[in-house]
Amino acid sequence: MTPLIPLTRDLVLIGGGHAHALLLRRWGMDPLPGVRVTLIDPGPLTAYSGMLPGLVAGHYDLPETQIDLVRLARFAGARLVLGRAEEIDLAAREVVVAGRRIGFDAASIDVGVTSAMPQLEGFEEHGVPAKPLGRLARDWTAYRDGAGPARVAVIGGGVAGAELAMAAAHGLRHREAKVTVIDRERLLSETSEEARRLVRDRMAGLGVEAVEGTDVARVEAGRVVLADGREVASDFTIGAAGAKPQGWLAETGLAHEDGFVTVGPTLETSAPGIFAVGDCAHMAHDPRPKAGVYAVRQAPVLFDNLRAALSGGRLRDYRPQKDYLKLVSLGGKAAMAEKWGRTYANPLLWQWKDRIDRKFMRKLSDLPEMKAPKLPDPVAEGVIEALGDKPMCGGCGAKVGRGALREALAGLPPVTRDDVVPLPGDDAAVIRTGGARQVISTDHLRAMVEDPALMTRIAAIHALGDVWAMAARPQAATVSLILPRMSAEMQRRTMAEIMAAAREVMDEAGAAILGGHSSLGSELTVGFTVTGLCDAEPVTLAGAQPGAALILTKPIGSGTIMAAEMARAAPGPVVAEAWEAMVQPQGRASGILAGAQAMTDVTGFGLAGHLAGICEASACGAELRVADVPLMQGALELAEAGTRSTLFADNLAGAGAVIAGSGGARHDLMFDPQTAGGLLAAVAADQAEALLARLRAAGYPAAIVGRMTEGGGLRLV
């Protein structure tokens, strides 16, 4: 048997820039055993700069220009932390993200630059920076597709500003557009006279007005006010006035040049083991302009040097080219090329640029399928069938099926203690001590995300669901952890992240963490034993009456989305939104629904399975209106494409005699296992609308999804 290689080193990539994206692709194809990779970025997508002018001009749709960091991280086996890095503690060798501290042995910075102008009055409220690219890419799409006359101002008349101005004029030609580019000096001052003349002629042909030799005084709603008192009409103002470093980099203690992190020939900074690439880096030994071509060509050297830094190898030098081919979009499907001081204009140049850009994006989206390790030959009968045709899901998708679980529990002897109240069908029990009613439950999850802190939040919310479902107040918790085999230092780092996340969730819920147990194993598993106190009789599965309305507090679909994410088939924003839904606490919802007739949390058995449990315990039936059940973004599309959790078949069989409607993907999602799902409550029909309004006012995307009925069984309509 091949020994499990322990994790011994942490590599942290700060920022999802082009060099890091390429590095992740290569790491997925050739990882360094023993290294845990972490990518930190504010969002699940990052925009590709080369296609931004084409997006503004309308040549590309937004998804074509976005690099999906969730898929890349999954391919590389990396954990993705969605957040903005705000500090690097060089002494502790930790990156700080929203107060969270992430340790590293080697790190790399690729956060790009910004063209935000905080010093310019009104820009933060009324302007959109060209860099970072994400906001402009998102906001422009909605603006371009609007109606009525369009007025756009671009602050900054360099090549980037001119490109955006021409692209805006072309993209808004259906809206009687007026585009103005403003520069404090002369437009395109960094280019040759020949290139400047060609671009100015193109701008004039597109109706772009140039305002030169004046500063901008302030930006207001609907206009830009110039220093000389003139006003430029603008309801979409773009800041493209040069590249400025991210402000926090100068505070790291790393050597820098005006805020740009200084690197040597190996791309290493002044701190050993910390590298920087892309526009945020300054190559002091061989300065170069800020251009994406350098980031792309730095990626292979960075890959080699990070591996060397983590394995005791020798670093190699990056040798930048002296000049590079500048391809400038001219609004429509036309482009200009400049290199070595010579300028070329040809209709075929845009097609060439388009092919280069699309090839780059395909490289980061059409990721190769890596071969799974071969099984020994021979293997015992049944091994192939037990493995199935896809990896086992995590979270509740890895739970034991309802049928097997019920059969095992049926063999337990009856409880005879007077102070213990078993609740058939419920995941929790009630203990009576000195007149107090205490709820107790336990749950643990096989990790479905690589980030232990995020997984801990999900597992804690999930475990507390049993307490909240009984309308109890969380009281105490103990933690049960299995960590992947790793070095003592990495155990310390990982435990610190896990316990910080657990404390935050439990503190917010009002529960105290009393301790717990941990061990090492083959993969991360996080669990909690939780208790809660009931001020009144607990709400259970029993007690629902015919005619009661059914309220669901969260959308469903997490099992399908997480199964798709494991297969790199789920779009990054869909996955990120599912994570947000799973970590939404249900404490306030529990308080609002405390008077429910019956209540459960929707987890591993799926919505239909848990509703069937209420039907069974309450000795009545239910009608579930499938069309009214809220779904997580993207869940239906993934289900229609055939994605199912590995627990789906067990849930379908374990829900009992379900009378199905027309079937289809939406129907199948009723059996999708949920992790940290919402509460499902049966409430008096005359109170349902008022309760729903209170839940929505508290921030829950709740819905009335059906009703309890006479007789038995569950009907999907």
Side-chain angles (χ1 to χ4, degrees):
M1 182 178 293
T2 303
L4 181 67
I5 298 177
L7 297 171
T8 60
R9 294 292 183 269
D10 267 311
L11 166 61
V12 174
L13 307 176
I14 306 169
H18 301 353
H20 280 176
L22 291 168
L23 183 145
L24 285 168
R25 182 185 189 275
R26 191 164 175 185
W27 196 278
M29 299 171 67
D30 186 17
L32 180 62
V35 175
R36 175 173 61 183
V37 181
T38 301
L39 173 65
I40 301 170
D41 197 80
L45 301 175
T46 187
Y48 170 46
S49 60
M51 297 176 92
L52 183 63
L55 172 70
V56 172
H59 306 320
Y60 305 117
D61 294 328
L62 182 60
E64 294 179 279
T65 68
Q66 304 287 302
I67 300 169
D68 193 322
L69 297 179
V70 174
R71 285 176 171 163
L72 267 178
R74 170 62 71 177
F75 177 72
R79 58 172 173 165
L80 174 60
V81 175
L82 293 180
R84 193 177 298 277
E86 55 194 34
E87 180 186 345
I88 299 176
D89 186 332
L90 296 181
R93 295 186 76 78
E94 293 175 334
V95 182
V96 181
V97 183
R100 174 183 171 186
R101 305 183 77 86
I102 301 172
F104 63 86
D105 297 287
S108 177
I109 309 168
D110 186 13
V111 297
V113 293
T114 179
S115 52
M117 294 176 256
Q119 77 285 356
L120 178 58
E121 182 183 347
F123 184 84
E124 188 171 345
E125 296 81 9
H126 306 295
V128 180
K131 292 185 178 183
L133 306 170
R135 182 183 167 193
L136 175 59
R138 291 189 304 270
D139 291 359
W140 178 262
T141 303
Y143 181 76
R144 187 190 66 204
D145 295 340
R151 302 291 180 264
V152 175
V154 179
I155 302 173
V159 170
E163 254 190 319
L164 288 173
M166 290 183 289
H170 181 83
L172 296 170
R173 61 195 184 282
H174 62 292
R175 291 185 55 188
E176 301 178 26
K178 180 181 178 183
V179 180
T180 306
V181 60
I182 306 164
D183 198 271
R184 64 172 58 183
E185 297 176 354
R186 191 175 77 148
L187 261 64
L188 302 161
S189 57
E190 73 271 35
T191 65
S192 67
E193 280 300 320
E194 184 181 2
R196 184 172 183 273
R197 185 183 68 255
L198 191 154
V199 173
R200 289 296 297 260
D201 288 347
R202 180 64 177 176
M203 289 171 62
L206 290 166
V208 176
E209 181 180 345
V211 176
E212 300 174 275
T214 184
D215 278 321
V216 173
R218 62 185 180 276
V219 179
E220 299 179 354
R223 63 181 180 174
V224 175
V225 181
L226 304 179
D228 59 13
R230 286 181 292 168
E231 296 180 358
V232 174
S234 175
D235 43 28
F236 197 101
T237 301
I238 301 171
K244 299 179 179 63
Q246 304 279 353
W248 65 276
L249 290 175
E251 307 300 322
T252 59
L254 296 171
H256 65 90
E257 180 76 18
D258 297 326
F260 295 99
V261 179
T262 301
V263 299
T266 63
L267 305 177
E268 195 171 29
T269 67
S270 57
I274 301 179
F275 298 76
V277 289
D279 288 351
C280 69
H282 169 66
M283 294 183 287
H285 62 288
D286 197 356
R288 286 289 181 270
K290 303 301 178 186
V293 65
Y294 294 112
V296 169
R297 297 191 179 186
Q298 286 169 342
V301 176
L302 178 66
F303 174 82
D304 290 345
N305 285 352
L306 286 173
R307 288 173 64 93
L310 291 161
S311 61
R314 181 178 178 181
L315 306 184
R316 70 184 181 99
D317 289 349
Y318 164 68
R319 295 183 175 85
Q321 64 270 41
K322 295 300 181 182
D323 197 6
Y324 65 97
L325 182 66
K326 307 170 189 68
L327 287 170
V328 180
S329 296
L330 299 175
K333 292 186 176 180
M336 174 196 79
E338 184 185 31
K339 188 174 184 181
W340 303 118
R342 300 189 63 181
T343 302
Y344 310 88
N346 188 298
L348 296 177
L349 284 173
W350 190 88
Q351 296 178 29
W352 185 28
K353 182 180 187 306
D354 177 60
R355 283 197 297 270
I356 292 172
D357 291 336
R358 290 185 184 274
K359 180 180 179 182
F360 178 83
M361 291 300 288
R362 282 196 301 272
K363 191 172 186 178
L364 296 174
S365 58
D366 298 343
L367 300 170
E369 290 296 330
M370 306 306 293
K371 293 182 179 179
K374 289 185 177 180
L375 289 173
D377 187 19
V379 295
E381 291 182 347
V383 167
I384 303 298
E385 292 76 10
L387 283 173
D389 58 357
K390 60 181 179 180
M392 182 175 66
C393 294
C396 272
K399 295 282 189 177
V400 173
R402 188 178 189 184
L405 182 62
R406 293 183 68 171
E407 183 178 338
L409 294 178
L412 294 177
V415 176
T416 58
R417 295 180 61 104
D418 295 337
D419 54 354
V420 176
V421 184
L423 302 170
D426 276 287
D427 291 331
V430 175
I431 299 173
R432 299 187 185 275
T433 306
R437 291 175 291 260
Q438 185 184 51
V439 173
I440 184 169
S441 183
T442 189
D443 214 324
H444 69 274
L445 298 173
R446 175 178 183 261
M448 58 186 176
V449 297
E450 296 292 335
D451 181 7
L454 175 59
M455 191 62 229
T456 299
R457 290 179 181 278
I458 293 171
I461 296 293
H462 180 84
L464 287 167
D466 293 334
V467 175
W468 287 322
M470 289 188 165
R473 293 178 289 107
Q475 177 194 27
T478 58
V479 190
S480 178
L481 294 176
I482 300 175
L483 298 181
R485 190 178 178 191
M486 56 180 61
S487 67
E489 175 60 21
M490 289 191 68
Q491 291 176 39
R492 181 195 66 78
R493 291 173 184 166
T494 306
M495 291 287 286
E497 289 189 51
I498 286 174
M499 294 309 298
R503 281 197 304 271
E504 189 170 327
V505 173
M506 293 300 173
D507 285 351
E508 183 179 351
I513 296 180
L514 305 181
H517 293 277
S518 63
S519 62
L520 297 178
S522 60
E523 60 183 0
L524 176 66
T525 301
V526 185
F528 293 87
T529 297
V530 290
T531 64
L533 296 174
C534 295
D535 297 323
E537 285 298 323
V539 181
T540 68
L541 295 178
Q545 300 295 313
L550 292 168
I551 293 179
L552 179 66
T553 63
K554 278 187 183 183
I556 65 171
S558 64
T560 294
I561 291 171
M562 293 300 106
E565 191 275 327
M566 286 185 66
R568 304 199 309 273
V574 167
V575 176
E577 189 170 303
W579 289 341
E580 287 185 13
M582 284 187 279
V583 298
Q584 183 185 30
Q586 296 292 286
R588 295 181 67 187
S590 174
I592 293 169
L593 296 170
Q597 297 173 4
M599 188 155 61
T600 185
D601 59 329
V602 180
T603 53
F605 299 151
L607 178 58
H610 285 283
L611 180 52
I614 290 180
C615 293
E616 183 178 343
S618 300
C620 56
E623 181 180 275
L624 182 63
R625 297 192 297 270
V626 174
D628 293 341
V629 175
L631 304 179
M632 292 182 179
Q633 175 195 344
L636 182 59
E637 292 79 4
L638 291 169
E640 288 174 338
T643 301
R644 299 291 184 274
S645 167
T646 50
L647 195 59
F648 169 77
D650 281 322
N651 282 353
L652 194 62
V658 177
I659 301 173
S662 58
R666 180 177 280 272
H667 166 276
D668 286 354
L669 284 168
M670 303 304 109
F671 302 89
D672 186 50
Q674 303 304 289
T675 303
L679 299 176
L680 176 66
V683 303
D686 59 354
Q687 299 175 15
E689 290 294 342
L691 290 170
L692 183 65
R694 290 179 62 192
L695 287 166
R696 289 179 174 173
Y700 295 99
I704 298 174
V705 297
R707 64 188 182 93
M708 302 303 296
T709 62
E710 298 282 357
L714 171 60
R715 181 181 179 87
L716 305 187
V717 299

